[in-house]
Amino acid sequence: MSLRAQRSNLKVGAIIVAAGSGERIDNIDKIFVPLGGKPLLAWSVDTCQRCDLVQQIVITLNNNNFELGQNLVKERAWSKATICLGGLRRQDSVKEGLRKLKDCDWAIIHDGARPFLTLDLIQNGLKAAMETGAAIAAVPVKDTTKLADDAGLITETPQRDKLWTAQTPQIFRFGMITEAYKKVTNEVTDDATMVERLGYKVKLYLGAYNNIKVTTPEDLALAKIIAQNI
Ligand code: CTP
Ligand code: MG
């Protein structure tokens, strides 16, 4: 069945994780930094609010930005959104978000630090996830990438055309991702790793080079340029 045919039956929830502390960007609250006239977080949440494939949005925040988040939900009239406190690690925040989703078949997990989420990224991701139960946005690696040991000596040069940079959204059948979050407790840097560890197949679909994660000050400068050109 096509996504269009299923649209009315799909129960889809989005979790936007925004509870980090921004250590690599001098601990500024990158999530609330102004970007093209609105807080950085508002870009991705506006897209989910506008997307008719998504019925509910959970935003995870930390103790320092919780009140800012509460106010923003009201100001921007995000009728689908609820907020909750995240945890120490990204995956702890996602876990809290999963707990808040109600009656969902599909969970879309997205970094609040990635402002340039689009309707296409959501729609294409859901389509891809329906093939295997799990799909993540990714882009081909542009640079040759090296594996190195602790002394900085190269141990391997993986074939570049097999390498992808993982982004979000990452989209999962709800039962699969909740099972993974119950069973896997080691630190991971994305959600797909969890379900990979349980042996599930995860499909890559084409993300976008401008779907950047604002991680360092250089990324923020780039985000300002992208925002001007959208
Ligand atoms: N995140 C979260 N809860 C955490 C850690 C991260 O919700 N305990 C969120 C961040 O707010 C961000 C996303 O996960 O939207 C991706 O994380 P990252 O870019 O690493 O953000 P930070 O953890 O804030 O940055 P840093 O690692 O530099 O401290
Ligand atoms: Mg982090």
Side-chain angles (χ1 to χ4, degrees):
M1 212 191 307
S2 73
L3 192 58
R4 186 184 293 272
Q6 292 195 28
R7 187 176 288 251
S8 54
N9 307 322
L10 288 176
K11 292 183 194 158
V12 180
I15 298 169
I16 310 281
V17 281
S21 51
E23 275 174 32
R24 288 170 288 176
I25 197 163
D26 310 322
N27 290 100
I28 62 161
D29 194 353
K30 61 188 185 184
I31 294 294
F32 283 89
V33 91
L35 181 65
K38 59 186 180 185
L40 190 147
L41 173 67
W43 286 74
S44 58
V45 182
D46 275 350
T47 302
C48 291
Q49 173 71 34
R50 213 171 52 238
C51 178
D52 61 9
L53 290 166
V54 174
Q55 289 95 39
Q56 40 179 327
I57 305 167
V58 175
I59 307 168
T60 71
L61 297 160
N62 60 37
N63 274 316
N64 297 324
N65 64 15
F66 196 82
E67 214 176 303
L68 284 173
Q70 255 173 339
N71 294 338
L72 197 61
V73 169
K74 281 187 216 133
E75 261 167 47
R76 300 197 71 81
W78 286 329
S79 56
K80 300 178 188 173
T82 52
I83 57 178
C84 74
L85 266 183
L88 221 51
R89 303 171 300 175
R90 181 186 179 281
Q91 68 209 74
D92 303 320
S93 298
V94 173
K95 199 170 191 173
E96 291 304 318
L98 285 170
R99 267 210 271 262
K100 288 270 171 202
L101 285 183
K102 298 219 160 51
D103 186 27
C104 251
D105 297 326
W106 296 94
I108 297 177
I109 303 171
H110 184 69
D111 292 325
R114 286 184 198 273
F116 305 117
L117 177 66
T118 61
L119 297 176
D120 274 354
L121 282 171
I122 296 174
Q123 174 152 335
N124 295 342
L126 272 167
K127 237 189 267 170
M130 280 174 197
E131 292 173 31
T132 57
I136 72 168
V139 285
V141 162
K142 294 183 197 173
D143 295 321
T144 298
T145 300
K146 306 286 187 184
L147 282 177
D149 63 18
D150 291 343
L153 295 171
I154 294 168
T155 54
E156 205 185 320
T157 302
Q159 200 184 319
R160 194 182 57 195
D161 61 10
K162 296 257 185 280
L163 289 173
W164 295 77
T165 298
Q167 303 183 329
T168 67
Q170 301 200 349
I171 301 173
F172 307 91
R173 200 179 281 291
F174 188 72
M176 182 193 287
I177 193 69
T178 48
E179 178 198 355
Y181 265 86
K182 251 183 231 138
K183 292 186 176 163
V184 180
T185 51
N186 292 351
E187 180 150 5
V188 296
T189 51
D190 78 346
D191 310 290
T193 306
M194 296 248 183
V195 307
E196 290 163 42
R197 295 235 167 118
L198 296 190
Y200 289 116
K201 298 268 176 250
V202 181
K203 176 92 181 160
L204 297 179
Y205 73 98
L206 191 62
Y209 283 112
N210 71 4
N211 179 30
I212 61 166
K213 180 159 70 70
V214 174
T215 308
T216 63
E218 298 78 12
D219 298 324
L220 183 56
L222 179 58
K224 288 182 176 163
I225 293 168
I226 296 171
Q228 270 170 9
N229 289 292
I230 274 180

